[in-house]
Protein backbone atom coordinates (compact mmCIF):
# COMPACT_ATOMS: atom_id res chain seq x y z
CA UNK A 1 0.00 0.00 0.00
CA UNK A 2 1.53 3.28 -1.02
CA UNK A 3 1.63 6.46 1.06
CA UNK A 4 -1.15 8.15 -0.91
CA UNK A 5 -3.59 5.31 -0.22
CA UNK A 6 -2.71 5.31 3.48
CA UNK A 7 -3.34 9.06 3.62
CA UNK A 8 -6.74 8.62 1.95
CA UNK A 9 -7.73 5.89 4.39
CA UNK A 10 -6.72 8.00 7.38
CA UNK A 11 -8.66 11.00 6.03
CA UNK A 12 -11.74 8.85 5.41
CA UNK A 13 -11.53 7.40 8.90
CA UNK A 14 -11.24 10.87 10.42
CA UNK A 15 -14.30 12.04 8.48
CA UNK A 16 -16.31 9.00 9.60
CA UNK A 17 -15.24 9.49 13.22
CA UNK A 18 -16.26 13.16 13.14
CA UNK A 19 -19.62 12.25 11.63
CA UNK A 20 -20.24 9.65 14.30
CA UNK A 21 -19.09 11.87 17.16
CA UNK A 22 -20.96 15.00 16.05
CA UNK A 23 -24.48 13.90 17.05
CA UNK A 24 -23.17 12.30 20.23
CA UNK A 25 -21.42 15.51 21.25
CA UNK A 26 -24.56 17.51 20.48
CA UNK A 27 -26.63 15.07 22.53
CA UNK A 28 -24.21 15.38 25.42
CA UNK A 29 -24.49 19.18 25.50
CA UNK A 30 -24.04 20.68 27.98
CA UNK A 31 -21.38 18.50 29.58
CA UNK A 32 -19.75 21.10 31.81
CA UNK A 33 -20.68 24.22 33.74
CA UNK A 34 -21.82 27.30 31.85
CA UNK A 35 -20.44 30.77 32.50
CA UNK A 36 -22.99 33.56 32.86
CA UNK A 37 -21.78 37.12 32.28
CA UNK A 38 -23.64 39.67 34.40
CA UNK A 39 -22.85 43.18 33.09
CA UNK A 40 -24.14 44.93 36.22
CA UNK A 41 -22.85 45.03 39.77
CA UNK A 42 -23.45 42.32 42.33
CA UNK A 43 -26.46 42.88 44.56
CA UNK A 44 -28.42 45.02 42.12
CA UNK A 45 -31.88 44.20 40.84
CA UNK A 46 -30.76 42.59 37.61
CA UNK A 47 -28.00 40.62 39.31
CA UNK A 48 -30.35 39.31 41.99
CA UNK A 49 -33.17 38.37 39.63
CA UNK A 50 -31.02 36.67 37.03
CA UNK A 51 -29.00 34.69 39.56
CA UNK A 52 -32.28 33.47 41.03
CA UNK A 53 -33.70 32.52 37.63
CA UNK A 54 -30.55 30.72 36.51
CA UNK A 55 -30.38 28.73 39.73
CA UNK A 56 -33.64 27.09 38.62
CA UNK A 57 -32.23 26.48 35.12
CA UNK A 58 -29.40 24.31 36.45
CA UNK A 59 -31.68 21.30 36.97
CA UNK A 60 -33.09 21.04 33.42
CA UNK A 61 -29.61 21.66 31.97
CA UNK A 62 -27.93 19.23 34.35
CA UNK A 63 -24.91 21.50 34.92
CA UNK A 64 -24.01 24.48 37.07
CA UNK A 65 -24.24 28.08 35.90
CA UNK A 66 -21.53 30.33 37.32
CA UNK A 67 -22.06 34.08 37.30
CA UNK A 68 -19.25 36.56 36.69
CA UNK A 69 -19.92 40.29 37.16
CA UNK A 70 -18.20 42.34 34.44
CA UNK A 71 -19.35 45.94 34.78
CA UNK A 72 -18.72 49.21 32.97
CA UNK A 73 -20.09 51.42 30.17
CA UNK A 74 -23.71 50.84 31.17
CA UNK A 75 -23.42 47.07 30.65
CA UNK A 76 -21.35 47.53 27.49
CA UNK A 77 -18.10 46.04 28.81
CA UNK A 78 -19.67 42.78 29.94
CA UNK A 79 -21.84 42.46 26.85
CA UNK A 80 -18.84 43.02 24.59
CA UNK A 81 -17.10 40.18 26.43
CA UNK A 82 -20.11 37.98 25.57
CA UNK A 83 -19.93 39.07 21.93
CA UNK A 84 -16.25 38.11 21.77
CA UNK A 85 -16.61 34.84 23.69
CA UNK A 86 -15.85 31.46 22.14
CA UNK A 87 -19.03 30.27 20.35
CA UNK A 88 -19.03 26.87 22.02
CA UNK A 89 -22.31 27.22 23.90
CA UNK A 90 -20.68 27.58 27.31
CA UNK A 91 -20.96 31.34 27.71
CA UNK A 92 -24.26 33.15 28.10
CA UNK A 93 -25.06 36.63 29.31
CA UNK A 94 -27.82 38.76 30.74
CA UNK A 95 -28.87 41.76 28.68
CA UNK A 96 -30.89 44.78 29.69
CA UNK A 97 -32.29 47.81 27.92
CA UNK A 98 -28.89 49.51 28.00
CA UNK A 99 -27.21 46.52 26.39
CA UNK A 100 -29.33 46.72 23.23
CA UNK A 101 -30.36 50.39 23.18
CA UNK A 102 -28.20 52.83 25.16
CA UNK A 103 -24.79 51.35 24.38
CA UNK A 104 -25.27 50.90 20.62
CA UNK A 105 -27.16 54.20 20.18
CA UNK A 106 -24.43 56.20 21.90
CA UNK A 107 -21.58 54.09 20.52
CA UNK A 108 -20.18 53.71 24.03
CA UNK A 109 -17.94 50.71 23.34
CA UNK A 110 -15.69 50.28 20.26
CA UNK A 111 -16.38 47.08 18.34
CA UNK A 112 -19.84 46.69 19.89
CA UNK A 113 -22.36 45.14 17.50
CA UNK A 114 -25.64 43.56 18.62
CA UNK A 115 -25.55 41.41 15.46
CA UNK A 116 -22.95 39.37 17.37
CA UNK A 117 -25.67 38.27 19.81
CA UNK A 118 -28.23 35.48 19.59
CA UNK A 119 -31.22 35.97 21.89
CA UNK A 120 -32.29 32.96 23.96
CA UNK A 121 -35.36 34.42 25.65
CA UNK A 122 -36.79 37.16 27.85
CA UNK A 123 -37.04 36.58 31.60
CA UNK A 124 -38.66 39.77 32.88
CA UNK A 125 -40.56 42.74 31.49
CA UNK A 126 -41.45 45.45 33.96
CA UNK A 127 -42.71 49.03 33.79
CA UNK A 128 -40.67 52.01 34.91
CA UNK A 129 -41.63 53.20 38.39
CA UNK A 130 -40.90 56.38 40.28
CA UNK A 131 -39.99 55.37 43.83
CA UNK A 132 -39.47 57.65 46.82
CA UNK A 133 -38.54 57.22 50.48
CA UNK A 134 -41.35 56.35 52.84
CA UNK A 135 -40.94 59.73 54.59
CA UNK A 136 -40.95 61.79 51.36
CA UNK A 137 -43.23 64.86 51.49
CA UNK A 138 -45.03 63.79 48.30
CA UNK A 139 -47.32 60.78 48.15
CA UNK A 140 -48.68 61.16 44.61
CA UNK A 141 -47.40 62.12 41.17
CA UNK A 142 -49.37 65.34 41.41
CA UNK A 143 -47.67 66.30 44.68
CA UNK A 144 -44.26 65.49 43.21
CA UNK A 145 -44.95 67.76 40.24
CA UNK A 146 -46.13 70.55 42.57
CA UNK A 147 -42.96 70.23 44.65
CA UNK A 148 -40.79 70.31 41.53
CA UNK A 149 -42.51 73.44 40.24
CA UNK A 150 -42.20 75.13 43.64
CA UNK A 151 -38.43 74.61 43.69
CA UNK A 152 -37.22 74.35 40.06
CA UNK A 153 -33.99 72.45 39.51
CA UNK A 154 -33.66 71.10 43.06
CA UNK A 155 -35.44 67.74 43.13
CA UNK A 156 -33.18 64.84 42.13
CA UNK A 157 -34.35 61.76 40.22
CA UNK A 158 -31.80 58.95 39.93
CA UNK A 159 -31.18 56.52 37.09
CA UNK A 160 -28.50 53.96 36.22
CA UNK A 161 -27.01 55.87 33.30
CA UNK A 162 -27.69 59.02 31.31
CA UNK A 163 -29.72 58.27 28.20
CA UNK A 164 -30.49 54.82 29.57
CA UNK A 165 -33.45 52.67 30.50
CA UNK A 166 -34.57 54.66 33.53
CA UNK A 167 -33.28 58.08 32.41
CA UNK A 168 -35.31 58.32 29.19
CA UNK A 169 -38.66 57.66 30.91
CA UNK A 170 -37.86 60.23 33.61
CA UNK A 171 -36.97 62.76 30.92
CA UNK A 172 -40.19 62.01 29.08
CA UNK A 173 -42.19 62.50 32.28
CA UNK A 174 -40.37 65.74 33.16
CA UNK A 175 -40.98 67.06 29.65
CA UNK A 176 -44.70 66.31 29.75
CA UNK A 177 -45.09 67.67 33.30
CA UNK A 178 -43.03 70.75 32.41
CA UNK A 179 -40.81 70.42 35.47
CA UNK A 180 -37.12 71.10 35.95
CA UNK A 181 -35.39 68.33 37.93
CA UNK A 182 -31.86 66.98 38.25
CA UNK A 183 -31.14 63.56 36.77
CA UNK A 184 -28.49 61.75 38.82
CA UNK A 185 -26.81 58.67 37.29
CA UNK A 186 -25.66 55.61 39.24
CA UNK A 187 -23.82 53.73 36.47
CA UNK A 188 -22.88 50.78 38.71
CA UNK A 189 -26.49 49.63 38.87
CA UNK A 190 -29.72 49.69 40.83
CA UNK A 191 -28.09 48.54 44.07
CA UNK A 192 -26.15 51.80 44.57
CA UNK A 193 -29.10 53.70 43.08
CA UNK A 194 -31.51 52.45 45.76
CA UNK A 195 -28.90 53.03 48.46
CA UNK A 196 -28.58 56.61 47.25
CA UNK A 197 -32.34 57.09 47.51
CA UNK A 198 -32.57 55.67 51.03
CA UNK A 199 -29.58 57.70 52.25
CA UNK A 200 -31.10 60.95 51.03
CA UNK A 201 -28.71 61.59 48.14
CA UNK A 202 -31.70 61.74 45.79
CA UNK A 203 -35.41 62.50 46.14
CA UNK A 204 -36.72 59.81 43.80
CA UNK A 205 -35.52 56.83 41.82
CA UNK A 206 -36.59 56.01 38.29
CA UNK A 207 -36.27 52.22 38.24
CA UNK A 208 -38.32 49.03 38.46
CA UNK A 209 -40.33 47.88 41.46
CA UNK A 210 -38.28 44.69 41.57
CA UNK A 211 -35.03 46.65 41.91
CA UNK A 212 -36.29 48.31 45.08
CA UNK A 213 -38.56 45.50 46.22
CA UNK A 214 -36.84 44.80 49.54
CA UNK A 215 -36.88 48.51 50.46
CA UNK A 216 -40.56 48.72 49.55
CA UNK A 217 -41.46 45.57 51.46
CA UNK A 218 -39.56 46.77 54.54
CA UNK A 219 -41.40 50.09 54.52
CA UNK A 220 -38.36 52.19 53.68
CA UNK A 221 -39.64 53.21 50.26
CA UNK A 222 -42.90 53.45 48.34
CA UNK A 223 -43.99 53.68 44.72
CA UNK A 224 -45.59 56.86 43.45
CA UNK A 225 -46.73 55.38 40.13
CA UNK A 226 -45.76 53.10 37.26
CA UNK A 227 -45.38 53.91 33.57
CA UNK A 228 -47.78 51.28 32.26
CA UNK A 229 -51.03 51.20 30.35
CA UNK A 230 -52.83 49.56 33.26
CA UNK A 231 -52.25 48.79 36.92
CA UNK A 232 -50.38 45.61 37.68
CA UNK A 233 -52.21 42.58 39.05
CA UNK A 234 -49.26 42.13 41.42
CA UNK A 235 -49.46 45.74 42.67
CA UNK A 236 -53.09 46.80 42.23
CA UNK A 237 -52.77 49.72 44.66
CA UNK A 238 -50.03 51.40 42.61
CA UNK A 239 -51.52 53.93 40.13
CA UNK A 240 -50.27 54.54 36.61
CA UNK A 241 -48.93 57.84 35.31
CA UNK A 242 -51.81 57.85 32.87
CA UNK A 243 -54.19 58.23 35.80
CA UNK A 244 -52.44 61.52 36.57
CA UNK A 245 -52.70 62.66 32.97
CA UNK A 246 -49.18 61.80 31.76
CA UNK A 247 -48.99 59.47 28.76
CA UNK A 248 -45.65 57.90 29.64
CA UNK A 249 -45.48 54.15 29.06
CA UNK A 250 -42.00 52.74 29.46
CA UNK A 251 -40.36 49.69 30.91
CA UNK A 252 -37.23 47.62 31.18
CA UNK A 253 -36.48 44.02 30.46
CA UNK A 254 -33.98 41.31 31.23
CA UNK A 255 -32.95 38.94 28.47
CA UNK A 256 -30.58 36.04 28.01
CA UNK A 257 -28.32 35.71 25.01
CA UNK A 258 -25.24 33.96 23.72
CA UNK A 259 -22.68 34.53 21.00
CA UNK A 260 -24.32 34.66 17.57
CA UNK A 261 -22.25 31.81 16.09
CA UNK A 262 -23.22 29.26 18.73
CA UNK A 263 -24.67 26.11 17.17
CA UNK A 264 -28.44 26.30 16.63
CA UNK A 265 -29.05 23.01 18.46
CA UNK A 266 -27.14 24.24 21.48
CA UNK A 267 -29.13 27.48 21.48
CA UNK A 268 -32.35 25.46 21.28
CA UNK A 269 -31.25 23.36 24.27
CA UNK A 270 -30.63 26.49 26.33
CA UNK A 271 -33.91 28.09 25.23
CA UNK A 272 -35.90 24.96 26.13
CA UNK A 273 -34.29 24.77 29.58
CA UNK A 274 -35.05 28.43 30.31
CA UNK A 275 -38.65 28.01 29.13
CA UNK A 276 -39.02 25.02 31.44
CA UNK A 277 -38.16 27.17 34.46
CA UNK A 278 -41.45 29.02 34.00
CA UNK A 279 -43.31 25.75 34.48
CA UNK A 280 -41.67 25.26 37.86
CA UNK A 281 -44.16 26.12 40.65
CA UNK A 282 -41.31 26.95 43.00
CA UNK A 283 -39.94 29.52 40.56
CA UNK A 284 -43.39 31.02 40.05
CA UNK A 285 -43.72 31.42 43.81
CA UNK A 286 -40.33 33.14 44.05
CA UNK A 287 -41.28 35.40 41.13
CA UNK A 288 -44.55 36.39 42.82
CA UNK A 289 -42.96 36.88 46.23
CA UNK A 290 -40.21 39.14 44.88
CA UNK A 291 -42.19 41.08 42.29
CA UNK A 292 -39.60 40.38 39.62
CA UNK A 293 -42.04 40.87 36.73
CA UNK A 294 -41.39 37.41 35.27
CA UNK A 295 -42.52 37.15 31.64
CA UNK A 296 -41.25 34.47 29.27
CA UNK A 297 -40.69 35.17 25.57
CA UNK A 298 -38.92 32.68 23.34
CA UNK A 299 -35.93 33.55 21.18
CA UNK A 300 -37.96 34.67 18.17
CA UNK A 301 -40.39 36.73 20.26
CA UNK A 302 -37.50 38.31 22.14
CA UNK A 303 -35.77 39.38 18.93
CA UNK A 304 -38.98 41.05 17.70
CA UNK A 305 -39.52 42.73 21.08
CA UNK A 306 -35.99 44.12 21.10
CA UNK A 307 -36.40 45.48 17.59
CA UNK A 308 -39.66 47.26 18.53
CA UNK A 309 -38.11 48.67 21.72
CA UNK A 310 -35.11 49.99 19.81
CA UNK A 311 -37.34 51.73 17.30
CA UNK A 312 -39.36 53.48 20.02
CA UNK A 313 -36.36 54.43 22.16
CA UNK A 314 -34.23 55.69 19.29
CA UNK A 315 -37.08 57.90 18.10
CA UNK A 316 -37.56 59.43 21.57
CA UNK A 317 -33.83 59.93 22.01
CA UNK A 318 -33.59 61.75 18.69
CA UNK A 319 -36.50 63.96 19.76
CA UNK A 320 -34.94 64.76 23.15
CA UNK A 321 -31.58 65.55 21.57
CA UNK A 322 -33.25 67.87 19.05
CA UNK A 323 -35.11 69.59 21.90
CA UNK A 324 -31.86 70.06 23.83
CA UNK A 325 -33.00 67.89 26.74
CA UNK A 326 -30.34 65.26 26.09
CA UNK A 327 -26.81 65.63 24.78
CA UNK A 328 -25.53 63.54 21.90
Amino acid sequence: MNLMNVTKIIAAAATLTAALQGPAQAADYPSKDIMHIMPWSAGGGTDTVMRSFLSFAEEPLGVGINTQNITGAQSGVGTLRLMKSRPDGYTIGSLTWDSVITVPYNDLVPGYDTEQLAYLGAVTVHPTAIIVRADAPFTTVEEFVEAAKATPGTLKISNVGLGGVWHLPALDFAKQAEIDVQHIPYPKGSGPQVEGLLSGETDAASTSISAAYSAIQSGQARVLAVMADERSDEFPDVPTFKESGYDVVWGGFRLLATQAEVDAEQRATLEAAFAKVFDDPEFQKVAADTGMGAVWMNAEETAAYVEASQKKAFALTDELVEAGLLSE
Side-chain angles (χ1 to χ4, degrees):
M1 184 178 293
N2 61 35
L3 180 61
M4 182 174 292
N5 288 335
V6 170
T7 302
K8 289 180 178 179
I9 292 172
I10 292 173
T15 301
L16 178 60
T17 300
L20 292 173
Q21 287 182 343
Q25 290 174 343
D28 289 342
Y29 173 83
S31 60
K32 62 180 181 179
D33 287 357
I34 293 170
M35 186 178 82
H36 165 236
I37 295 176
M38 167 50 63
W40 295 103
S41 60
T46 296
D47 180 77
T48 302
V49 166
M50 297 308 283
R51 282 177 186 264
S52 175
F53 176 81
L54 291 172
S55 70
F56 285 92
E58 290 181 334
E59 182 176 348
L61 285 171
V63 297
I65 302 177
N66 305 315
T67 295
Q68 182 179 7
N69 294 84
I70 303 175
T71 63
Q74 294 181 230
S75 81
V77 174
T79 305
L80 181 66
R81 181 76 64 87
L82 174 64
M83 293 174 177
K84 303 301 182 183
S85 66
R86 179 181 298 178
D88 59 3
Y90 287 96
T91 304
I92 62 174
S94 288
L95 307 179
T96 60
W97 165 294
D98 293 293
S99 312
V100 297
I101 294 176
T102 309
V103 178
Y105 181 90
N106 295 287
D107 196 22
L108 297 182
V109 180
Y112 196 97
D113 181 4
T114 54
E115 293 298 316
Q116 298 179 58
L117 299 171
Y119 302 114
L120 300 170
V123 176
T124 71
V125 178
H126 39 81
T128 305
I130 296 297
I131 298 170
V132 299
R133 290 186 304 281
D135 61 356
F138 19 79
T139 59
T140 64
V141 171
E142 292 85 354
E143 290 178 357
F144 184 88
V145 171
E146 290 175 5
K149 289 184 175 180
T151 55
T154 60
L155 290 187
K156 300 175 182 178
I157 303 179
S158 66
N159 56 71
V160 293
L162 297 178
V165 56
W166 308 127
H167 185 210
L168 281 182
L171 278 171
D172 194 16
F173 162 53
K175 178 186 176 184
Q176 291 195 33
E178 299 181 336
I179 56 176
D180 178 16
V181 296
Q182 297 182 47
H183 298 274
I184 310 299
Y186 285 81
K188 291 188 177 181
S190 59
Q193 180 193 19
V194 173
E195 290 176 9
L197 172 68
L198 298 180
S199 68
E201 292 178 356
T202 59
D203 300 289
S206 177
T207 184
S208 68
I209 290 179
S210 63
Y213 193 76
S214 60
I216 296 168
Q217 289 294 91
S218 66
Q220 295 176 284
R222 51 188 165 79
V223 187
L224 286 186
V226 292
M227 298 183 182
D229 284 312
E230 299 177 350
R231 293 193 182 195
S232 167
D233 291 337
E234 291 182 284
F235 308 99
D237 295 331
V238 177
T240 67
F241 275 80
K242 281 190 170 185
E243 292 175 52
S244 296
Y246 303 106
D247 188 16
V248 283
V249 179
W250 292 94
F253 43 79
R254 300 183 180 102
L255 320 174
L256 284 166
T258 190
Q259 212 279 341
E261 295 181 9
V262 169
D263 180 76
E265 289 187 15
Q266 292 178 324
R267 297 201 309 267
T269 296
L270 292 168
E271 180 184 354
F274 298 147
K276 191 173 182 180
V277 173
F278 278 76
D279 295 327
D280 187 329
E282 187 176 349
F283 168 74
Q284 288 297 332
K285 183 178 186 307
V286 170
D289 290 345
T290 58
M292 70 170 60
V295 174
W296 172 251
M297 287 188 281
N298 64 29
E300 183 178 355
E301 292 167 336
T302 300
Y305 183 82
V306 169
E307 183 178 358
S309 297
Q310 288 174 326
K311 183 177 180 181
K312 178 182 177 182
F314 292 164
L316 175 63
T317 305
D318 288 340
E319 182 183 331
L320 291 172
V321 169
E322 185 177 348
L325 297 175
L326 188 65
S327 300
E328 289 186 282

